[in-house]
Amino acid sequence: KKKYYVGARQFPVPPCEDNGGMCKVDEDQKMNWFFFDHDNKEIGKVAPELWMDGEPGNQNAIENVAVLESPFSFDSYAGGLNDMNPEDSGYQPLCQFIDYLMCDNGYILIRDRCYKVIHSDPAKAADSKTKCKTEGGTLASVHDDAMNAIIIDFSRENTTVGTVIDKTIRFGLAYSGSEWINDDTTPVDFFRWWDQAGYSSISGSISGSVRAGLVVSGKARNPDPSYWEVIKDSDSYPFLCQKQPTQAYASA
């Protein structure tokens, strides 16, 4: 088995003198263990279920720091936290890295991707793909209602003229002739077509090279979040690019 120091310790340490130098072993000991950050600030209690069976035991005079023990592979030993004397050596630290995801200027971070609406220079589908690729990305994909709502709100903020928004925004869902595919090769697992709002149907109306577009319209015409429509590749529209964010490690 292996043991790794983690950022948890007992505070305050219970008195042990009345027990012959041995700290008392009971369930109450689990209640005053906390995680601390690198600035020595308390960030939360150690959940009692994280301890190994019979721990924290405090079998020595001072066992007020925690180690994580990895499980054996050949028996039922489950692993978990164990209390140790802070003077014990030979154990490696288990580090937690805090990192930030950052987007280039003009992009917004939504979950784990960066998005940008290019509306000042509408383009045909091929040119849209090229422009996104030039910036290190692809035409964006949309995978659920929540993401669709966030993207459409962001799109409206970047395309609004007064209170009227009059341009559909192309994204990376394309029709191959027999099925819909995403430019970024992620699975096509979500649709929000205009006919779902009861306006019109796309059934039987797909012909030629087409893609999906976010219908960014006034709320009187289009419920929120926005629905999609089919747009021709040969027509110029604003478009939505996505790219990977930059990771910046802040601390450990």
Side-chain angles (χ1 to χ4, degrees):
K1 65 189 176 190
K2 295 181 179 180
K3 298 179 181 181
Y4 303 91
Y5 279 118
V6 295
R9 68 174 187 271
Q10 191 177 33
F11 183 82
V13 180
C16 306
E17 293 78 7
D18 294 341
N19 196 31
M22 302 292 286
C23 291
K24 187 179 180 181
V25 180
D26 57 30
E27 287 298 309
D28 289 342
Q29 283 202 71
K30 296 181 181 180
M31 304 309 295
N32 62 339
W33 282 83
F34 301 89
F35 289 106
F36 293 83
D37 65 13
H38 60 285
D39 292 323
N40 204 32
K41 294 179 180 178
E42 181 185 314
I43 56 176
K45 279 190 173 184
V46 177
E49 60 268 21
L50 295 179
W51 293 99
M52 295 165 46
D53 290 342
E55 303 295 343
N58 240 342
Q59 296 179 2
N60 294 314
I62 300 176
E63 289 190 342
N64 65 332
V65 297
V67 294
L68 178 65
E69 293 195 15
S70 60
F72 289 124
S73 60
F74 51 83
D75 61 18
S76 59
Y77 176 79
L81 295 183
N82 192 358
D83 55 334
M84 288 285 172
N85 189 294
E87 300 301 320
D88 290 344
S89 61
Y91 305 138
Q92 296 294 318
L94 182 63
C95 297
Q96 172 179 293
F97 291 90
I98 301 174
D99 67 297
Y100 297 100
L101 300 179
M102 300 188 301
C103 295
D104 294 341
N105 187 39
Y107 283 82
I108 184 175
L109 182 68
I110 302 175
R111 296 179 180 168
D112 60 348
R113 295 289 187 275
C114 299
Y115 295 87
K116 178 181 181 180
V117 179
I118 299 179
H119 59 87
S120 59
D121 187 20
K124 298 178 181 180
D127 293 334
S128 300
K129 290 181 63 174
T130 299
K131 290 180 180 180
C132 288
K133 185 176 181 179
T134 299
E135 297 199 5
T138 62
L139 284 171
S141 59
V142 182
H143 294 280
D144 56 55
D145 264 328
M147 187 176 184
N148 190 76
I150 295 171
I151 290 175
I152 200 62
D153 285 344
F154 173 59
S155 301
R156 284 175 174 156
E157 290 172 3
N158 286 269
T159 59
T160 302
V161 178
T163 58
V164 179
I165 307 166
D166 58 1
K167 272 292 186 180
T168 295
I169 297 175
R170 176 181 282 118
F171 62 102
L173 181 64
Y175 192 65
S176 68
S178 59
E179 62 180 345
W180 291 92
I181 56 174
N182 283 318
D183 281 356
D184 63 1
T185 71
T186 56
V188 176
D189 49 13
F190 175 73
F191 293 103
R192 192 173 177 83
W193 294 116
W194 190 245
D195 66 324
Q196 291 176 261
Y199 291 98
S200 62
S201 175
I202 64 167
S203 302
S205 62
I206 302 175
S207 62
S209 297
V210 296
R211 286 177 178 272
L214 288 164
V215 183
V216 188
S217 67
K219 293 184 178 181
R221 290 184 54 237
N222 186 32
D224 289 338
S226 179
Y227 286 83
W228 305 349
E229 66 178 353
V230 175
I231 56 177
K232 294 180 179 180
D233 283 4
S234 56
D235 292 338
S236 293
Y237 285 93
F239 53 96
L240 180 68
C241 296
Q242 73 177 23
K243 61 188 298 186
Q244 294 284 351
T246 301
Q247 284 188 321
Y249 291 102
S251 60

